[in-house]
Amino acid sequence: MQTAGALARVARECAEDLAADGVVYAEVRFAPELHVERGLALDAVIEAVLDGFRAGSAGTGLKIRALLTAMRHAARSLEIAEAAVRWRDRGVVGFDIAGAEAGYPPSRHLDAFQFMQRANGHYTIHAGEAFGLPSIWEALQWCNADRLGHGVRIMDDIAVDPDGNAVLGQLANYVRDVRVPLEMCPTSNVDTGVCASIAEHPIRLLRELHFRVTVNTDNRLMSGVTLSSEFAGLVDVFDYGWSDIRWLTVNAMKSAFIPFDQRLALINDVIKPGFDAVLSDG
Ligand SMILES: [Zn+2]
């Protein structure tokens, strides 16, 4: 993926796959800085991917947008944030950092997050996947993340007493109180050893406790999943029904980075009628 042609093709096929899976809105993250080894400029990388998204989603029910990711271990986050703002009216809706958490706390990229804030931009931070509460705390209380990528380790701030009642610490309360969206990726978390099985995944308890839980694939290729297969896994293990899937889907749409009126239109005109149709089928 080091040429414009290859990037556009992968992006097009990504959009085609998502549309075929019944996805109506997607935010796909990628790291432009990983695609410059053969001399492409960052803007050329971004343009190729957006071209591919447009081609692959044309004529489908899919609206697809990009999040530009900066690598935590590198030092290009401000540059990537600037690109996210430069491209924001052309298919980029936000900024993200990803990569190894240990040793690379979110605050290392504070200048990039502050740039996004000053530009009234949106961003999510991968935090609390492998690393614990300090990473989540920094992402929210120093870096002001709009959403948390994974965030599963928020469980470290929730105790369940012998009667089965959950007792939330201050950070867990904050996350729930201000409705911080948690971008949960069950299969990926099992693959990377965050939890032993889907059955042990925190999504069950966090959903019961009414955190703003959303379901994501993290990566479709390495984990060999689709959004539908992720939902199917939750149905199998937790006995979720259509109403649970609708709740999770509406949560995700509410948490999207496109403007409020567009989110509302997708929820009311596409997502809810879609679920009404399957729910009335029984
Ligand atoms: Zn991830």
Side-chain angles (χ1 to χ4, degrees), residues 126 129 150 185 188 218:
H126 253 54
E129 178 184 13
H150 296 287
C185 313
S188 165
D218 203 14

Side-chain angles (χ1 to χ4, degrees), residues 129 150 152 182-204 213-219 223 225-227 229-235 237-238 240 248:
E129 178 184 13
H150 296 287
V152 285
L182 302 175
E183 304 165 354
M184 313 223 90
C185 313
T187 300
S188 165
N189 290 159
V190 173
D191 290 345
T192 58
V194 171
C195 54
S197 63
I198 302 282
E200 288 169 41
H201 197 277
I203 193 168
R204 181 190 60 81
V213 172
T214 72
V215 175
N216 307 264
T217 52
D218 203 14
N219 65 90
S223 295
V225 294
T226 63
L227 191 62
S229 77
E230 284 291 278
F231 277 124
L234 298 176
V235 168
V237 176
F238 301 130
Y240 281 178
L248 292 159

Side-chain angles (χ1 to χ4, degrees), residues 13-24 56-57 60-62:
E13 291 177 0
C14 167
E16 289 169 355
D17 290 348
L18 291 171
D21 194 31
V23 173
V24 297
S57 61
T60 73
L62 172 69

